[in-house]
Amino acid sequence: MDSWLRGLPKIELHVHLDGSLRPKTVRDLAKKLPADRRFPRGFDPIEAVTHPNRGTLESYLEAFDVTLRLLQDEGALERVARELCEDAAVENVHYIEVRFAPLLHTEAGLKPRDVVAAVLRGMRQAEADHSIHSGLILTALKQEPTERSMEVGQLTAQFAGKGVVGFDLAGSERLYPPLLHRATVEFVHAAGVHLTIHAGEACCPEQIREALDLGADRIGHGVHLFEDPQTEKRVRESRIPLEICPTSNLQTTAFMSDYKDHPVGRYIELGIPISINTDNR
């Protein structure tokens, strides 16, 4: 079964750059950190980025505190982007869309434009060396000020057609609906950029409805869609794809105890387009 699955041609539409570092790369980059950014003695970064089988979305996102510390220079960003695409190519992924939040990689002085350029260089190198095509999605965080999301929106427009293929809203759900960032979304739409929004991942099916109201082309996760029948019908009739990530969904969604509890089967039977993705490797 494993060899059959690996042999299937695939696409990957929902995978986070800073959630997909090789363990060896985590250790290598941790050793190279400058003294003021090193982890405390005895701290194991591999353990810190390995999420338990069950938890909350908030605890799941804590792993990014570790990887973000490692990804504050162009060399590290280029390396992990190249390695992610290489790993996907080995799995016979023909096309991959990688996403990340560029403003979170400027703590050591990098300019956002240089952050994006470094990631694109890594992806292009993998394309040159392997049979894979790739696109980059820039992510803004719902819990951050709207000025920050607009900066990401402007960056997306700047790199549109140059490797960037979309804009994303992600982050903590319950207190931060996507409608807070309507102005940024309207700007991105005016620039002709595609839109995907994390919604209904660990709660809040109403946020899926808001994402549709904002003109989302795809929905990131959408696990809780079945809890809102009217929105579920709207997604089905509009043929809006759901980016399903079964492993992380099981790790962060309270109503699931096993993969058989995942509503993806229901969505397939209803005719809702879905893709299966890794989210964070």
Side-chain angles (χ1 to χ4, degrees):
M1 176 65 77
D2 182 65
S3 60
W4 173 82
L5 186 59
R6 283 184 174 274
L8 282 177
K10 308 174 191 70
I11 62 168
E12 166 88 273
L13 299 180
H14 191 120
V15 57
H16 292 264
L17 177 73
D18 37 0
S20 303
L21 282 68
R22 295 174 180 171
K24 181 181 184 302
T25 300
V26 171
R27 294 201 186 280
D28 288 349
L29 296 178
K31 291 176 183 176
K32 296 176 182 178
L33 285 175
D36 62 335
R37 297 218 320 273
R38 285 180 193 153
F39 297 111
R41 186 180 298 274
F43 179 84
D44 185 350
I46 300 298
E47 181 180 348
V49 300
T50 304
H51 195 271
N53 289 333
R54 303 305 305 279
T56 64
L57 177 60
E58 287 70 25
S59 65
Y60 183 85
L61 295 175
E62 289 174 2
F64 288 91
D65 294 338
V66 176
T67 57
L68 286 171
R69 190 183 298 198
L70 303 176
L71 298 176
Q72 297 296 330
D73 66 80
E74 292 183 62
L77 288 162
E78 187 172 337
R79 174 179 175 176
V80 299
R82 173 179 52 80
E83 291 179 344
L84 170 54
C85 293
E86 287 176 347
D87 292 344
V90 169
E91 298 170 358
N92 205 24
V93 174
H94 288 203
Y95 176 68
I96 184 170
E97 289 183 357
V98 178
R99 64 185 69 194
F100 83 127
L103 299 190
L104 299 183
H105 301 269
T106 60
E107 294 177 3
L110 281 182
K111 295 180 179 179
R113 178 182 176 85
D114 295 331
V115 170
V116 175
V119 172
L120 287 173
R121 283 198 303 272
M123 294 167 65
R124 287 167 181 156
Q125 184 60 55
E127 288 184 326
D129 296 339
H130 301 274
S131 297
I132 190 169
H133 298 283
S134 62
L136 185 61
I137 297 173
L138 301 188
T139 298
L141 300 180
K142 300 175 195 174
Q143 67 268 27
E144 291 196 330
T146 55
E147 293 82 6
R148 296 263 291 181
S149 68
M150 181 60 77
E151 186 175 356
V152 179
Q154 292 170 341
L155 200 60
T156 305
Q158 186 178 7
F159 279 91
K162 303 173 184 176
V164 170
V165 297
F167 175 83
D168 174 36
L169 283 171
S172 184
E173 282 190 279
R174 196 172 298 277
L175 298 178
Y176 303 97
L179 281 175
L180 292 172
H181 301 276
R182 178 187 291 277
T184 296
V185 169
E186 290 176 349
F187 173 86
V188 168
H189 272 146
V193 176
H194 288 292
L195 174 68
T196 179
I197 296 179
H198 283 66
E201 179 178 5
C203 70
C204 314
E206 66 276 7
Q207 292 206 6
I208 302 173
R209 182 173 64 253
E210 290 190 13
L212 298 178
D213 291 342
L214 288 170
D217 299 291
R218 298 197 312 244
I219 300 296
H221 300 286
V223 179
H224 288 259
L225 175 61
F226 70 93
E227 297 175 359
D228 185 343
Q230 289 302 313
T231 301
E232 184 180 59
K233 179 181 178 183
R234 183 177 171 189
V235 168
R236 176 175 59 82
E237 292 178 347
S238 300
R239 302 285 296 164
I240 300 295
L242 303 180
E243 303 159 356
I244 299 292
C245 306
T247 300
S248 69
N249 297 157
L250 183 62
Q251 291 172 322
T252 63
T253 305
F255 72 82
M256 291 188 220
S257 58
D258 192 274
Y259 286 117
K260 68 178 183 297
D261 298 327
H262 200 295
V264 62
R266 170 190 175 96
Y267 300 149
I268 292 172
E269 289 178 1
L270 287 172
I272 295 172
I274 64 123
S275 63
I276 299 296
N277 308 277
T278 61
D279 200 13
N280 299 290
R281 289 161 171 256

